[in-house]
Amino acid sequence: MPNDTANTQYFVKESVFEQALINRLPHHGWESNIIERPTEDDLIDNWAAILYNNNRDISKLGNAPLTKSEMQQIINQVNSCDSPYAVNKFINGEQVCIRRDNPADTHNYGKDVYLKIFDATEISAGQTRYQIARQPRFKASHPLAGDRRGDVMLLINGMPVIHIELKRSRVDVSQATYQIKRYTHEGVFSSGIFKMVQIFVAMTPEETLYFANPGAEENFKPEYYFHWADFNNTIISEWGRVVADLLSIPMAHQLVGFYTIADDKDKSLKVLRSYQYFAVNKINDVTHKTNWDTHQHRGGYIWHTTGSGKTMTSFKSAQLIANSGDAEKVVFLMDRIELSTQSLDEYRGFAGEEEAVQDTQNTAILLSKLQSTDKDDRLIVTSIQKMSNINSGQGISQAEIDSIGRKRLVFIIDECHRSVFGEMLIRIKNTFPAHYSSVSPAHPYSMKMPATKSRPEHSSETCSTNTPLPMPYPTATY
């Protein structure tokens, strides 16, 4: 591990380290008014107050605060989530429905109302609140045992979404992960408001690990504990830099809203590694800044090692571009062999139930999806073979091709096989000379851009490579 801790302050006592963290967080977007040693009921009351302040429309809560029984309706919905995966869907669903039972609300009494709980795009703006809870009190699992206290929880809009466990200097960070696992064993995060935790952070002054809430105790696996690293993949060890880079606002908000994935395939919650975050963020930033009228669209390269999560990186990039409206179509291209195996299943698993990923059984269906204006058809998965058939030589009229070519298109190409850089890719480029193309992985030893005069002058590629090179992280070049 790189040594960036030479000047790290030494903490003999964990309590002093905790205070230093509490003092540092307000400098990075968190409120300075600390919630001290709250019980679960205290945090539910705090959440109720925030929900009331954020939903004062006459069609929602008006001037009548939430009752205890109305808050219990919300807690019941949290408890009905059977995993952190389901809780993530609940939070990112952005609204919760309750039936009003406060007679003071004469307009909505006895009616269902929808309350805003979270907005992934409302970062450091609008109604969003960022609070710190110090030493939250957990009820003991045994009636004769004393209550436990955690170290620090970070709340967004009253919801405890990040839990931090601390250990003093020279104590191995594994002791902090073990503490989190023990709380899980005792049922701390299995019900009530504490069930909403999405991200765990184990921190010492010299080392930090973060990981998505794995749910059951048996799902705690060290291979899913990640260090945060900078853009150059240098691990950040010193706690102050971790606070500034990972736990700051907007990053912490984005981590919950954008950079976690509720994977339908195995019903688990996943969080991006730092290198995936930088790759996704860069792809989205370049797309957002693209001037589509010039037709001079630049791409880049994302280099991935085997097993480093290239499909998750490409999916999250495609999802965020599609949802942002920066492109009208995001087309995920893969070799037909890959399409018939795991990549499509992974994509659909990442997308979940409420997000449509369009498969294309044949070229005619692909053509209809590309022409469609339905927002459910924004994210398309197809083979490069089918995509290369969308041209006038296949009986498709030039008018149809031109109508597609006028759209803002983003191509993300998975697995840089030779076919990707051969005749089919050239054909796609010639058909859509104004496109923005993003190309993902193969071996860098054999990867060459095709030297051909038929290559459109203004198109470019972004390539991510699934390489056996002995490097631990992918790199992004733009």
Side-chain angles (χ1 to χ4, degrees):
M1 180 185 302
N3 182 16
D4 67 343
T5 61
N7 298 316
T8 300
Q9 183 179 353
Y10 187 85
F11 294 95
V12 177
K13 294 183 178 180
E14 183 182 309
S15 60
V16 178
F17 180 34
E18 179 183 292
Q19 185 62 56
L21 175 64
I22 294 293
N23 293 342
R24 184 70 62 90
L25 285 166
H27 293 284
H28 296 283
W30 299 91
E31 296 178 18
S32 57
N33 186 20
I34 310 302
I35 305 173
E36 296 281 357
R37 299 185 178 181
T39 64
E40 182 175 10
D41 287 341
D42 292 334
L43 290 180
I44 290 174
D45 289 343
N46 174 71
W47 190 19
I50 291 173
L51 287 171
Y52 176 55
N53 289 330
N54 288 353
N55 293 276
R56 296 292 300 275
D57 293 350
I58 190 65
S59 62
K60 296 183 178 181
L61 299 180
N63 294 318
L66 286 158
T67 65
K68 293 287 186 183
S69 57
E70 288 171 336
M71 277 307 297
Q72 189 58 50
Q73 291 180 49
I74 297 175
I75 295 298
N76 288 344
Q77 292 182 55
V78 174
N79 285 334
S80 70
C81 297
D82 59 3
S83 64
Y85 148 91
V87 174
N88 183 271
K89 286 182 170 291
F90 174 82
I91 294 172
N92 281 295
E94 300 189 352
Q95 295 187 104
V96 62
C97 179
I98 64 164
R99 177 154 295 183
R100 290 245 66 183
D101 63 15
N102 188 340
D105 185 356
T106 56
H107 184 77
N108 295 308
Y109 182 73
K111 298 178 182 177
D112 289 344
V113 296
Y114 288 85
L115 307 180
K116 171 186 172 182
I117 60 172
F118 180 72
D119 186 339
T121 64
E122 198 172 81
I123 303 171
S124 298
Q127 299 172 315
T128 305
R129 298 279 305 277
Y130 303 107
Q131 297 172 295
I132 303 167
R134 181 180 189 174
Q135 295 190 9
R137 287 182 277 177
F138 306 139
K139 292 179 181 178
S141 56
H142 192 281
L144 298 180
D147 287 351
R148 289 189 172 275
R149 289 204 300 265
D151 291 332
V152 178
M153 277 188 170
L154 302 180
L155 284 59
I156 299 181
N157 286 352
M159 298 178 291
V161 291
I162 299 176
H163 178 73
I164 306 171
E165 276 298 315
L166 306 172
K167 294 298 175 184
R168 62 178 175 82
S169 296
R170 304 291 173 85
V171 174
D172 194 277
V173 72
S174 64
Q175 294 299 308
T177 61
Y178 173 75
Q179 184 73 57
I180 295 168
K181 185 176 180 180
R182 186 164 66 177
Y183 287 151
T184 299
H185 172 75
E186 295 172 353
V188 167
F189 305 111
S190 64
S191 64
I193 197 169
F194 296 130
K195 190 172 186 174
M196 304 191 79
V197 171
Q198 297 288 285
I199 304 295
F200 288 125
V201 177
M203 176 181 284
T204 73
E206 302 87 11
E207 186 176 3
T208 297
L209 296 171
Y210 74 100
F211 52 101
N213 184 345
E217 179 186 4
E218 59 269 22
N219 294 333
F220 277 71
K221 297 178 181 178
E223 58 264 37
Y224 298 123
Y225 303 165
F226 307 136
H227 292 100
W228 188 254
D230 64 16
F231 183 81
N232 295 315
N233 295 320
T234 300
I235 293 173
I236 297 173
S237 303
E238 197 271 327
W239 72 274
R241 288 191 61 198
V242 173
V243 171
D245 289 7
L246 176 63
L247 300 179
S248 62
I249 302 301
M251 186 62 216
H253 187 125
Q254 293 171 330
L255 203 62
V256 174
F258 294 138
Y259 302 122
T260 51
I261 292 179
D263 189 347
D264 269 10
K265 193 169 61 174
D266 58 8
K267 306 299 181 186
S268 66
L269 181 63
K270 294 178 169 64
V271 62
L272 297 192
R273 299 172 174 93
S274 52
Y275 59 78
Q276 293 174 305
Y277 158 75
F278 285 115
V280 169
N281 191 56
K282 194 67 175 178
I283 291 171
N284 281 273
D285 184 58
V286 170
T287 306
H288 180 68
K289 293 177 180 177
T290 295
N291 182 344
W292 297 89
D293 295 330
T294 66
H295 298 171
Q296 297 181 12
H297 308 145
R298 297 184 59 202
Y301 296 85
I302 308 298
W303 303 78
H304 270 276
T305 61
T306 299
S308 60
K310 64 180 177 56
T311 303
M312 185 186 293
T313 301
S314 62
F315 167 75
K316 184 52 73 170
S317 299
Q319 181 191 49
L320 294 179
I321 292 169
N323 291 342
S324 71
D326 288 331
E328 291 158 278
K329 299 288 178 183
V330 182
V331 184
F332 186 66
L333 294 179
M334 59 184 82
D335 185 84
R336 60 186 165 204
I337 297 173
E338 285 292 316
L339 181 62
S340 65
T341 56
Q342 63 180 11
S343 293
L344 178 58
D345 290 339
E346 283 187 287
Y347 237 59
R348 284 187 164 153
F350 295 153
E353 299 172 357
E354 298 176 1
E355 194 157 27
V357 175
Q358 299 298 328
D359 186 15
T360 54
Q361 287 80 23
N362 55 56
T363 301
I365 293 175
L366 172 59
L367 180 65
S368 69
K369 298 297 182 185
L370 290 169
Q371 293 173 319
S372 170
T373 58
D374 190 330
K375 68 177 184 178
D376 284 343
D377 292 333
R378 287 178 302 184
L379 190 53
I380 299 169
V381 178
T382 192
S383 69
I384 191 168
Q385 289 84 357
K386 289 190 184 78
M387 192 69 213
S388 68
N389 286 334
I390 304 293
N391 63 76
S392 56
Q394 298 293 321
I396 300 171
S397 73
Q398 191 60 46
E400 289 177 300
I401 292 172
D402 290 345
S403 70
I404 296 169
R406 284 191 291 270
K407 298 178 185 287
R408 293 167 293 156
L409 305 176
V410 172
F411 291 99
I412 296 179
I413 305 179
D414 187 45
E415 298 290 352
C416 294
H417 299 294
R418 292 183 184 275
S419 62
V420 173
F421 290 96
E423 186 176 323
M424 284 182 283
L425 183 58
I426 300 301
R427 195 179 304 150
I428 293 170
K429 290 177 180 178
N430 288 337
T431 304
F432 304 107
H435 75 267
Y436 171 93
S437 177
S438 175
V439 186
S440 323
H443 301 304
Y445 299 115
S446 60
M447 186 179 66
K448 292 183 179 180
M449 303 303 287
T452 170
K453 293 182 180 179
S454 64
R455 179 180 173 188
E457 166 178 23
H458 296 314
S459 66
S460 59
E461 304 79 33
T462 299
C463 185
S464 161
T465 62
N466 186 17
T467 167
L469 286 175
M471 48 202 225
Y473 307 108
T475 59
T477 303
Y478 278 82

